[in-house]
Amino acid sequence: MRKTDIFTLALLIILTFFTALFARKDSTQWWIPLLILILSGIKFLLVSFNFMEVKKAHSFWKTSIILYLVLFISIVTLVHLS
Amino acid sequence: MTEEKTIDYKNIYYPPGGILLWILILLEILTFGIALIVLMVFSREDPELYHRSREILNVNFGATNTVFLLTSGFFMASSIHRFHRNDFPKAAFFLRLAALGGLLFLTLKGFEYYEKIEEGYTLGYNTFFTFYWLLTGFHVIHVLVGLFILSFMHRSLSKRTAIREDMEAGATFWHMCDLIWLLLFPALYLIL
């Protein structure tokens, strides 16, 4: 087991705990869904870059993943706030 | 056996796991992403209904299942790492742990489904639950297919006939199940 993988897993579990915790707070606050989505986006990046080793790939694949996440989080947030 | 130095991952055509798998991943996350955006658009028509329906879902089950899949992904990454070092027994051991994570996910999901059916929250209960059943159901199918692939990977590891490309492609498919769940969990269980 690599130390980076252990660190990544620990971070992923901590982020999961916090996203679940934030969801229990007052959902009328506009920033809570955005915060949950950003934390989930970080988890998505950790899995793809560290576990799937996208960090070693051509910049096209890294950019595609990041661009997809930014678009997804932006659209969901905009629809949610509308 | 592993040809580690012959694959140049920096080449656009050779991402880890193979280009075909990555095209599939981009299409899959795009499809699930669009479905979740449609869910959000529908939720704006009756936010109260969607909020009440979302609260019926058990966040603890969702979070626990997230941990199961993430831990499973960790063991899969460890298995591939061991495979690259030609440590086949350890690679097979971590692969079994990865499969265990998937089985635990399916067990808890099955229990959650049973609970929802018992309470009458079936596919046609309301539009939120239509999205819930379709999206999580398609994801469960991905996990089942992933477990099937894992069993083949384990077989080839046991026979010492495993090929690097096949192992990495199988692992990438398994991680894709994590990625899809990381989109579904916040959208269905947390933010509505």
Side-chain angles (χ1 to χ4, degrees), chain B residues 8-23:
Chain B
D8 176 19
Y9 291 132
K10 288 288 176 197
N11 185 322
I12 192 168
Y13 300 112
Y14 297 101
I19 190 164
L20 289 178
L21 235 314
W22 272 97
I23 290 170

Side-chain angles (χ1 to χ4, degrees), chain B residues 143-176:
Chain B
V143 176
L144 285 169
V145 172
L147 282 172
F148 194 63
I149 293 169
L150 256 62
S151 70
F152 275 99
M153 288 166 71
H154 188 267
R155 197 169 161 221
S156 59
L157 273 177
S158 304
K159 287 184 173 179
R160 293 184 171 259
T161 55
I163 299 166
R164 180 179 178 145
E165 284 82 355
D166 292 347
M167 290 295 290
E168 288 186 354
T172 304
F173 184 92
W174 189 246
H175 289 304
M176 181 184 75

Side-chain angles (χ1 to χ4, degrees), chain B residues 98-111:
Chain B
L100 178 68
L103 288 170
L104 286 172
F105 174 88
L106 289 178
T107 305
L108 188 56
K109 200 80 209 148
F111 183 72

Side-chain angles (χ1 to χ4, degrees), chain A residues 2-44:
Chain A
R2 289 177 297 185
K3 274 185 184 172
T4 49
D5 287 346
I6 295 170
F7 176 74
T8 303
L9 178 66
L11 196 56
L12 285 165
I13 292 173
I14 290 166
L15 288 174
T16 302
F17 173 77
F18 276 107
T19 48
L21 198 71
F22 283 127
R24 294 178 198 279
K25 289 195 173 288
D26 182 10
S27 59
T28 55
Q29 302 272 0
W30 69 269
W31 55 270
I32 288 180
L34 179 63
L35 186 66
I36 289 170
L37 284 170
I38 289 170
L39 292 180
S40 301
I42 292 169
K43 285 160 65 181
F44 193 98

